[in-house]
Coordinates of all heavy atoms in Angstrom, one line a residue:
M188 N -4.8 -44.6 53.8 CA -3.7 -44.2 52.9 C -3.9 -44.9 51.6 O -3.9 -44.3 50.6 CB -2.4 -44.5 53.5 CG -1.3 -44.2 52.7 SD 0.2 -44.3 53.8 CE 1.4 -43.9 52.6
F189 N -3.8 -46.3 51.8 CA -4.1 -47.1 50.5 C -5.4 -47.8 50.5 O -5.9 -48.2 51.6 CB -3.0 -48.2 50.3 CG -1.7 -47.6 50.0 CD1 -0.6 -47.9 51.1 CD2 -1.3 -47.3 48.8 CE1 0.6 -47.3 50.7 CE2 0.0 -46.7 48.6 CZ 0.8 -46.8 49.4
D190 N -6.2 -47.8 49.4 CA -7.5 -48.3 49.4 C -7.4 -49.6 48.6 O -7.7 -49.6 47.4 CB -8.6 -47.4 48.8 CG -9.9 -48.0 48.9 OD1 -10.2 -48.7 49.8 OD2 -10.8 -47.6 48.0
I191 N -7.2 -50.7 49.4 CA -7.0 -52.0 48.7 C -8.2 -52.7 48.8 O -8.8 -53.0 49.8 CB -5.8 -52.7 49.3 CG1 -4.4 -52.1 49.2 CG2 -5.7 -54.1 48.7 CD1 -3.3 -52.7 49.8
T192 N -8.8 -53.1 47.7 CA -10.0 -53.8 47.5 C -9.7 -55.3 47.4 O -8.5 -55.8 47.3 CB -10.9 -53.5 46.4 OG1 -10.2 -53.7 45.1 CG2 -11.2 -52.0 46.3
D193 N -10.9 -56.0 47.7 CA -10.6 -57.6 47.6 C -10.1 -58.0 46.1 O -9.3 -58.9 45.9 CB -11.9 -58.3 47.9 CG -12.3 -58.2 49.3 OD1 -11.3 -57.9 50.2 OD2 -13.5 -58.4 49.7
R194 N -10.7 -57.2 45.2 CA -10.2 -57.6 43.7 C -8.6 -57.4 43.5 O -8.1 -58.1 42.9 CB -11.1 -56.6 42.8 CG -10.9 -57.0 41.4 CD -11.8 -56.2 40.6 NE -11.8 -56.6 39.2 CZ -10.9 -56.3 38.1 NH1 -9.8 -55.6 38.6 NH2 -10.9 -56.7 37.0
D195 N -8.2 -56.2 44.2 CA -6.9 -55.9 44.0 C -5.9 -57.0 44.7 O -5.0 -57.4 44.1 CB -6.6 -54.6 44.5 CG -7.1 -53.4 43.8 OD1 -7.5 -53.6 42.6 OD2 -7.4 -52.3 44.4
L196 N -6.4 -57.4 45.9 CA -5.6 -58.4 46.5 C -5.7 -59.8 45.8 O -4.6 -60.5 45.7 CB -6.4 -58.7 47.9 CG -5.6 -59.6 48.8 CD1 -4.3 -59.1 49.2 CD2 -6.5 -59.8 50.2
V197 N -6.8 -60.1 45.2 CA -6.9 -61.4 44.4 C -5.9 -61.2 43.2 O -5.3 -62.3 42.9 CB -8.2 -61.7 44.0 CG1 -8.4 -62.8 43.0 CG2 -9.0 -62.2 45.2
I198 N -5.9 -60.2 42.5 CA -5.1 -59.9 41.3 C -3.7 -60.1 41.7 O -2.8 -60.7 41.1 CB -5.4 -58.7 40.6 CG1 -6.8 -58.8 40.0 CG2 -4.4 -58.3 39.6 CD1 -7.3 -57.4 39.3
A199 N -3.2 -59.4 42.7 CA -1.8 -59.5 43.2 C -1.5 -61.0 43.7 O -0.2 -61.3 43.3 CB -1.7 -58.6 44.4
L200 N -2.2 -61.5 44.4 CA -1.9 -63.0 44.8 C -1.9 -63.8 43.7 O -1.1 -64.7 43.7 CB -2.8 -63.4 46.0 CG -2.6 -62.6 47.3 CD1 -3.8 -63.1 48.4 CD2 -1.2 -62.8 47.9
S201 N -2.8 -63.6 42.7 CA -2.8 -64.4 41.4 C -1.4 -64.2 40.7 O -0.9 -65.3 40.2 CB -4.0 -64.1 40.6 OG -5.1 -64.4 41.3
A202 N -0.9 -63.1 40.6 CA 0.2 -62.8 39.9 C 1.5 -63.5 40.6 O 2.3 -64.1 39.9 CB 0.6 -61.3 39.8
I203 N 1.5 -63.5 41.8 CA 2.5 -64.2 42.7 C 2.4 -65.7 42.6 O 3.3 -66.5 42.3 CB 2.4 -63.9 44.3 CG1 2.8 -62.5 44.4 CG2 3.3 -64.8 45.0 CD1 2.5 -61.8 45.7
G204 N 1.1 -66.2 42.6 CA 0.8 -67.6 42.3 C 1.3 -68.1 40.9 O 1.8 -69.2 40.7
A205 N 1.0 -67.3 39.9 CA 1.5 -67.6 38.6 C 2.9 -67.7 38.5 O 3.5 -68.5 37.9 CB 0.9 -66.5 37.6
G206 N 3.7 -66.8 39.2 CA 5.2 -66.8 39.3 C 5.6 -68.2 39.8 O 6.5 -68.8 39.4
F207 N 4.9 -68.6 41.0 CA 5.3 -69.9 41.6 C 4.9 -71.0 40.5 O 5.6 -72.1 40.5 CB 4.6 -70.1 42.9 CG 5.1 -69.2 44.0 CD1 4.3 -68.5 44.8 CD2 6.5 -69.2 44.2 CE1 4.9 -67.9 45.9 CE2 7.1 -68.5 45.3 CZ 6.3 -67.9 46.2
A208 N 3.9 -71.0 39.9 CA 3.6 -72.0 39.0 C 4.5 -72.1 37.9 O 4.8 -73.2 37.3 CB 2.2 -71.8 38.3
M209 N 5.2 -71.0 37.5 CA 6.2 -71.1 36.4 C 7.5 -71.8 36.9 O 8.3 -72.2 36.0 CB 6.5 -69.7 35.9 CG 5.3 -69.2 34.9 SD 4.7 -70.4 33.8 CE 6.1 -70.8 32.8
I210 N 7.7 -71.9 38.2 CA 8.8 -72.4 38.7 C 8.7 -74.0 38.4 O 9.8 -74.7 38.3 CB 9.0 -72.3 40.3 CG1 9.3 -70.8 40.6 CG2 10.1 -73.2 40.9 CD1 9.3 -70.5 41.9
A211 N 7.6 -74.5 38.1 CA 7.5 -75.8 37.7 C 8.1 -76.1 36.3 O 8.4 -77.3 36.0 CB 6.0 -76.2 37.5
G212 N 8.6 -75.2 35.6 CA 9.2 -75.4 34.4 C 10.7 -75.8 34.6 O 11.5 -76.3 33.6
I213 N 11.3 -75.6 35.8 CA 12.7 -75.9 36.1 C 12.9 -77.4 36.1 O 13.8 -77.9 35.4 CB 13.1 -75.3 37.5 CG1 13.1 -73.8 37.4 CG2 14.5 -75.8 37.9 CD1 13.3 -73.0 38.7
G214 N 12.0 -78.1 36.7 CA 12.2 -79.6 36.8 C 12.2 -80.3 35.5 O 13.1 -81.1 35.3
P215 N 11.3 -80.0 34.5 CA 11.2 -80.7 33.2 C 12.6 -80.3 32.5 O 13.0 -81.2 31.7 CB 10.0 -80.2 32.6 CG 9.1 -79.8 33.6 CD 10.1 -79.3 34.8
G216 N 13.1 -79.1 32.6 CA 14.2 -78.7 32.0 C 15.4 -79.6 32.3 O 16.2 -80.0 31.6
I217 N 15.6 -79.7 33.6 CA 16.7 -80.4 34.2 C 16.5 -82.0 33.8 O 17.5 -82.6 33.5 CB 16.7 -80.2 35.8 CG1 17.2 -78.8 36.1 CG2 17.6 -81.3 36.4 CD1 17.1 -78.5 37.6
G218 N 15.3 -82.4 33.9 CA 15.1 -83.7 33.6 C 15.3 -84.2 32.2 O 15.9 -85.2 31.9
Q219 N 15.0 -83.3 31.4 CA 15.2 -83.6 29.9 C 16.6 -83.5 29.5 O 17.0 -84.2 28.6 CB 14.3 -82.6 29.1 CG 12.9 -83.0 29.0 CD 12.0 -81.9 28.3 OE1 12.5 -81.0 27.8 NE2 10.7 -82.0 28.4
G220 N 17.3 -82.5 30.1 CA 18.6 -82.5 29.8 C 19.3 -83.7 30.5 O 20.3 -84.2 29.7
Y221 N 19.0 -84.1 31.5 CA 19.6 -85.4 31.9 C 19.3 -86.6 31.1 O 20.3 -87.3 31.0 CB 19.2 -85.6 33.5 CG 19.8 -86.7 34.2 CD1 21.0 -86.6 34.7 CD2 19.3 -88.0 34.4 CE1 21.8 -87.7 35.3 CE2 19.8 -89.0 35.0 CZ 21.0 -88.9 35.5 OH 21.5 -89.9 36.2
A222 N 18.2 -86.8 30.8 CA 17.8 -87.8 30.0 C 18.3 -87.9 28.6 O 18.8 -88.9 28.0 CB 16.2 -87.8 29.7
A223 N 18.4 -86.6 28.0 CA 19.2 -86.6 26.7 C 20.7 -86.9 26.9 O 21.3 -87.7 25.9 CB 19.1 -85.1 26.1
G224 N 21.3 -86.5 27.9 CA 22.7 -86.9 28.2 C 22.9 -88.3 28.3 O 23.9 -89.0 27.8
K225 N 22.1 -89.0 29.2 CA 22.0 -90.4 29.3 C 21.6 -91.3 28.0 O 22.3 -92.2 27.8 CB 21.1 -90.8 30.5 CG 21.6 -90.4 31.8 CD 22.9 -91.0 32.2 CE 23.5 -90.7 33.5 NZ 24.7 -91.3 33.9
G226 N 20.8 -90.6 27.3 CA 20.4 -91.3 26.0 C 21.6 -91.4 25.0 O 21.9 -92.3 24.4
A227 N 22.3 -90.1 25.0 CA 23.5 -90.1 24.1 C 24.7 -91.0 24.6 O 25.3 -91.6 23.8 CB 24.0 -88.7 24.0
E228 N 24.8 -91.1 25.9 CA 25.8 -92.1 26.4 C 25.5 -93.4 26.1 O 26.3 -94.3 25.9 CB 25.7 -91.8 28.0 CG 26.8 -92.6 28.6 CD 26.7 -92.3 30.2 OE1 26.4 -91.2 30.6 OE2 26.9 -93.3 31.0
A229 N 24.1 -93.8 26.2 CA 23.7 -95.3 26.0 C 23.9 -95.5 24.6 O 24.2 -96.6 24.0 CB 22.2 -95.3 26.4
V230 N 23.5 -94.6 23.6 CA 23.8 -94.8 22.2 C 25.3 -95.1 21.8 O 25.5 -95.8 21.0 CB 23.1 -93.7 21.4 CG1 23.5 -93.8 19.9 CG2 21.6 -93.7 21.5
G231 N 26.0 -94.2 22.6 CA 27.5 -94.2 22.3 C 28.1 -95.8 22.7 O 28.9 -96.3 22.1
K232 N 27.5 -96.1 23.8 CA 28.0 -97.6 24.3 C 27.4 -98.7 23.5 O 28.0 -99.6 23.2 CB 27.4 -97.8 25.8 CG 28.3 -97.0 26.7 CD 27.9 -97.2 28.1 CE 28.6 -96.4 29.1 NZ 28.1 -96.6 30.5
R233 N 26.0 -98.6 23.1 CA 25.5 -99.6 22.4 C 24.7 -99.1 21.1 O 23.5 -98.9 21.1 CB 24.4 -100.5 23.1 CG 25.1 -101.1 24.3 CD 24.2 -102.1 24.8 NE 24.8 -102.9 26.0 CZ 25.4 -103.9 25.9 NH1 25.7 -104.4 24.8 NH2 26.0 -104.4 27.1
P234 N 25.4 -98.7 19.9 CA 24.7 -98.1 18.8 C 23.7 -99.0 18.2 O 22.9 -98.5 17.5 CB 26.0 -97.8 17.9 CG 27.2 -98.4 18.5 CD 26.9 -98.9 19.9
E235 N 23.8 -100.2 18.3 CA 22.8 -101.2 17.6 C 21.5 -101.1 18.2 O 20.5 -101.5 17.6 CB 23.4 -102.6 17.8 CG 23.4 -103.2 19.2 CD 24.8 -103.0 19.9 OE1 25.5 -102.3 19.3 OE2 24.8 -103.6 20.9
N236 N 21.3 -100.5 19.5 CA 20.1 -100.4 20.2 C 19.6 -98.8 20.1 O 18.7 -98.4 20.9 CB 20.1 -100.7 21.6 CG 20.5 -102.2 21.8 OD1 20.1 -103.0 20.9 ND2 20.9 -102.6 23.0
Q237 N 20.1 -98.2 19.1 CA 19.8 -96.7 19.0 C 18.2 -96.4 18.9 O 17.7 -95.6 19.6 CB 20.4 -96.2 17.8 CG 20.2 -94.6 17.6 CD 20.8 -94.0 16.4 OE1 21.5 -94.7 15.7 NE2 20.6 -92.8 16.1
G238 N 17.6 -97.2 18.1 CA 16.1 -97.0 17.9 C 15.3 -97.1 19.2 O 14.5 -96.3 19.6
Q239 N 15.5 -98.0 19.9 CA 14.8 -98.3 21.2 C 15.2 -97.3 22.3 O 14.4 -96.8 22.9 CB 15.2 -99.8 21.7 CG 14.4 -100.1 22.9 CD 14.6 -101.6 23.4 OE1 15.6 -102.2 22.9 NE2 13.9 -102.0 24.3
I240 N 16.5 -97.0 22.3 CA 17.0 -95.9 23.3 C 16.3 -94.6 23.0 O 15.9 -94.0 23.9 CB 18.5 -95.9 23.2 CG1 19.2 -97.3 23.8 CG2 19.1 -94.7 24.1 CD1 20.7 -97.3 23.5
V241 N 16.4 -94.2 21.7 CA 15.9 -92.9 21.4 C 14.4 -92.8 21.6 O 13.8 -91.8 22.1 CB 16.2 -92.5 19.8 CG1 15.5 -91.3 19.6 CG2 17.7 -92.3 19.9
S242 N 13.6 -93.8 21.3 CA 12.2 -93.8 21.5 C 11.8 -93.8 23.0 O 10.8 -93.1 23.4 CB 11.5 -95.1 20.8 OG 11.9 -96.3 21.4
T243 N 12.5 -94.6 23.8 CA 12.3 -94.4 25.3 C 12.6 -93.1 25.8 O 11.9 -92.6 26.7 CB 13.1 -95.6 26.0 OG1 12.8 -96.8 25.5 CG2 12.8 -95.5 27.6
M244 N 13.6 -92.5 25.3 CA 14.2 -91.2 25.8 C 13.1 -90.1 25.3 O 12.7 -89.2 26.2 CB 15.5 -90.8 25.1 CG 16.0 -89.5 25.6 SD 17.4 -89.1 24.7 CE 16.9 -88.8 23.1
L245 N 12.7 -90.2 24.1 CA 11.5 -89.3 23.7 C 10.2 -89.4 24.5 O 9.5 -88.4 24.9 CB 11.3 -89.4 22.2 CG 12.6 -89.0 21.4 CD1 12.2 -89.2 19.9 CD2 12.7 -87.5 21.6
L246 N 9.8 -90.7 24.8 CA 8.7 -90.8 25.6 C 8.7 -90.2 27.0 O 8.0 -89.6 27.6 CB 8.3 -92.3 25.8 CG 7.1 -92.6 26.6 CD1 5.9 -92.2 26.0 CD2 7.1 -94.2 26.7
G247 N 10.1 -90.5 27.5 CA 10.4 -89.9 28.8 C 10.3 -88.3 28.9 O 10.0 -87.7 29.8
A248 N 10.9 -87.8 27.8 CA 10.8 -86.4 27.6 C 9.5 -85.8 27.5 O 9.2 -84.7 28.1 CB 11.6 -86.0 26.4
A249 N 8.6 -86.4 26.8 CA 7.1 -86.0 26.6 C 6.4 -86.0 28.0 O 5.6 -85.2 28.3 CB 6.5 -86.8 25.6
V250 N 6.7 -87.1 28.7 CA 6.0 -87.1 30.1 C 6.6 -86.0 30.9 O 5.7 -85.4 31.6 CB 6.2 -88.6 30.7 CG1 5.8 -88.5 32.0 CG2 5.5 -89.5 30.0
A251 N 7.9 -85.8 30.9 CA 8.4 -84.7 31.8 C 8.0 -83.3 31.3 O 7.7 -82.5 32.1 CB 10.0 -84.6 31.8
E252 N 7.8 -83.2 30.0 CA 7.4 -81.8 29.5 C 6.0 -81.6 29.9 O 5.5 -80.4 29.9 CB 7.5 -81.8 28.0 CG 7.2 -80.4 27.3 CD 8.2 -79.4 27.7 OE1 9.3 -79.7 28.1 OE2 7.8 -78.2 27.8
S253 N 5.2 -82.5 30.1 CA 3.6 -82.3 30.4 C 3.6 -81.6 31.8 O 2.7 -80.8 32.0 CB 2.9 -83.7 30.4 OG 3.3 -84.5 31.5
T254 N 4.6 -81.8 32.6 CA 4.6 -81.1 33.9 C 4.7 -79.6 33.8 O 4.0 -78.8 34.3 CB 5.6 -81.7 34.9 OG1 5.5 -83.1 35.1 CG2 5.6 -81.1 36.3
G255 N 5.6 -79.3 32.9 CA 5.8 -77.9 32.6 C 4.7 -77.2 31.9 O 4.4 -76.1 32.2
I256 N 4.0 -78.0 31.0 CA 2.9 -77.4 30.3 C 1.7 -77.1 31.2 O 1.0 -76.2 31.2 CB 2.5 -78.4 29.1 CG1 3.6 -78.3 28.1 CG2 1.2 -77.9 28.6 CD1 3.5 -79.3 26.9
F257 N 1.5 -78.2 32.3 CA 0.5 -77.9 33.2 C 0.8 -76.7 34.1 O -0.3 -75.9 34.4 CB 0.2 -79.2 34.1 CG -0.1 -80.4 33.4 CD1 0.3 -81.6 33.8 CD2 -1.1 -80.3 32.5 CE1 -0.2 -82.7 33.2 CE2 -1.7 -81.4 31.9 CZ -1.1 -82.6 32.2
G258 N 2.0 -76.5 34.4 CA 2.4 -75.2 35.2 C 2.1 -74.0 34.3 O 1.5 -73.1 34.9
L259 N 2.4 -74.1 33.1 CA 2.1 -72.9 32.3 C 0.6 -72.7 32.1 O 0.1 -71.5 32.2 CB 2.7 -73.1 30.9 CG 2.5 -72.0 29.8 CD1 3.1 -70.8 30.2 CD2 2.9 -72.5 28.4
V260 N -0.3 -73.7 31.9 CA -1.7 -73.5 31.8 C -2.2 -72.9 33.2 O -3.0 -72.1 33.1 CB -2.3 -74.8 31.4 CG1 -3.8 -74.8 31.7 CG2 -1.9 -75.3 30.1
V261 N -1.7 -73.4 34.3 CA -2.2 -72.9 35.5 C -1.8 -71.4 35.6 O -2.6 -70.5 36.1 CB -1.6 -73.7 36.8 CG1 -1.9 -72.9 38.1 CG2 -2.2 -75.1 36.8
A262 N -0.6 -71.0 35.3 CA -0.3 -69.7 35.3 C -1.0 -68.7 34.4 O -1.5 -67.7 34.8 CB 1.3 -69.5 35.0
L263 N -1.3 -69.3 33.3 CA -2.2 -68.5 32.2 C -3.6 -68.3 32.8 O -4.1 -67.2 32.6 CB -2.2 -69.1 30.9 CG -0.8 -69.0 30.1 CD1 -0.9 -69.8 28.8 CD2 -0.5 -67.6 29.9
I264 N -4.1 -69.4 33.4 CA -5.4 -69.3 33.9 C -5.4 -68.2 35.1 O -6.4 -67.4 35.2 CB -6.0 -70.6 34.4 CG1 -6.3 -71.5 33.2 CG2 -7.2 -70.5 35.4 CD1 -6.6 -72.9 33.6
M265 N -4.5 -68.3 36.0 CA -4.4 -67.3 37.1 C -4.2 -65.9 36.5 O -4.7 -65.0 37.3 CB -3.4 -67.7 38.0 CG -3.6 -69.1 38.8 SD -2.2 -69.5 39.8 CE -2.4 -68.5 41.2
L266 N -3.5 -65.7 35.5 CA -3.4 -64.2 35.0 C -4.5 -63.8 34.2 O -4.9 -62.6 34.3 CB -2.1 -64.3 34.2 CG -0.8 -64.4 35.1 CD1 0.5 -64.4 34.1 CD2 -0.7 -63.3 36.0
F267 N -5.1 -64.6 33.4 CA -6.0 -64.1 32.2 C -7.4 -64.5 32.4 O -8.4 -63.7 32.0 CB -5.4 -64.4 30.8 CG -4.1 -63.8 30.7 CD1 -3.0 -64.6 30.4 CD2 -4.0 -62.4 30.5 CE1 -1.7 -64.0 30.2 CE2 -2.7 -61.8 30.2 CZ -1.6 -62.6 30.1
A268 N -7.6 -65.6 33.1 CA -9.0 -66.1 33.2 C -9.2 -66.5 34.7 O -9.8 -67.5 35.0 CB -9.2 -67.4 32.2
N269 N -9.0 -65.6 35.5 CA -9.0 -65.8 36.9 C -10.5 -66.1 37.4 O -11.2 -65.0 37.4 CB -8.5 -64.7 37.7 CG -8.0 -65.2 39.1 OD1 -8.6 -66.0 39.7 ND2 -6.9 -64.4 39.6
P270 N -10.8 -67.2 37.8 CA -12.3 -67.4 38.3 C -12.5 -66.8 39.6 O -13.6 -66.7 40.1 CB -12.3 -69.1 38.2 CG -11.0 -69.5 38.4 CD -10.0 -68.4 37.7
L271 N -11.5 -66.6 40.4 CA -11.6 -66.0 41.7 C -12.2 -64.6 41.7 O -12.8 -64.2 42.7 CB -10.3 -66.0 42.5 CG -9.8 -67.6 42.7 CD1 -8.4 -67.4 43.4 CD2 -10.8 -68.3 43.6
I272 N -11.9 -63.8 40.7 CA -12.3 -62.4 40.6 C -13.9 -62.4 40.4 O -14.5 -61.6 41.1 CB -11.6 -61.7 39.4 CG1 -10.2 -61.5 39.6 CG2 -12.3 -60.4 39.3 CD1 -9.4 -60.9 38.6
G273 N -14.5 -63.3 39.6 CA -15.9 -63.3 39.5 C -16.4 -63.8 40.8 O -17.7 -63.4 41.1
A274 N -15.8 -64.7 41.5 CA -16.4 -65.3 42.9 C -16.4 -64.1 43.9 O -17.4 -64.0 44.7 CB -15.5 -66.3 43.4
I275 N -15.5 -63.1 43.8 CA -15.5 -62.1 44.8 C -16.5 -61.0 44.6 O -17.2 -60.4 45.5 CB -14.2 -61.3 45.0 CG1 -13.1 -62.4 44.8 CG2 -14.0 -60.8 46.2 CD1 -11.9 -61.4 45.2
T276 N -16.7 -60.8 43.3 CA -17.6 -59.6 42.9 C -19.1 -59.9 43.0 O -19.9 -59.0 42.9 CB -17.3 -59.2 41.5 OG1 -17.5 -60.4 40.6 CG2 -15.9 -58.7 41.3
K277 N -19.4 -61.2 43.4 CA -20.8 -61.5 43.6 C -21.4 -61.1 44.9 O -20.8 -60.8 45.8 CB -21.0 -63.0 43.5 CG -20.8 -63.6 42.2 CD -21.1 -65.0 42.1 CE -20.8 -65.6 40.8 NZ -21.1 -66.9 40.5

């Protein structure tokens, strides 16, 4: 009835895997929102330490964002530069 080749299966599973990889963007979003809220709260309590608080908050946000970027890169590789398709066609 359906003629599913190995290539079709790899493409379908890669699309599902790319969707799962994009779920990695949820964590950094929550973490950055929480960090920004706590940073604003800390600046409100101690405005004289604003520079140190903001720089620490931005460093933490950059580290958290790298997780989301890695997930995006994995998803893009799985969708557009899938090395598994070349491995099956050999």
Side-chain angles (χ1 to χ4, degrees):
M188 185 168 171
F189 293 108
D190 186 27
I191 298 176
T192 63
D193 290 340
R194 185 177 191 280
D195 295 335
L196 186 62
V197 168
I198 290 173
L200 293 176
S201 294
I203 292 170
F207 282 135
M209 289 313 301
I210 292 175
I213 294 172
I217 293 171
Q219 288 177 1
Y221 185 76
K225 288 297 183 178
E228 182 181 325
V230 169
K232 288 182 181 179
R233 298 198 182 268
E235 65 273 4
N236 294 338
Q237 178 183 1
Q239 185 178 8
I240 293 168
V241 170
S242 64
T243 303
M244 182 188 68
L245 290 177
L246 178 64
V250 170
E252 186 65 29
S253 66
T254 306
I256 292 172
F257 290 147
L259 175 65
V260 168
V261 167
L263 290 174
I264 288 172
M265 291 176 80
L266 289 176
F267 298 111
N269 197 334
L271 296 175
I272 293 174
I275 322 186
T276 57
K277 288 183 180 179

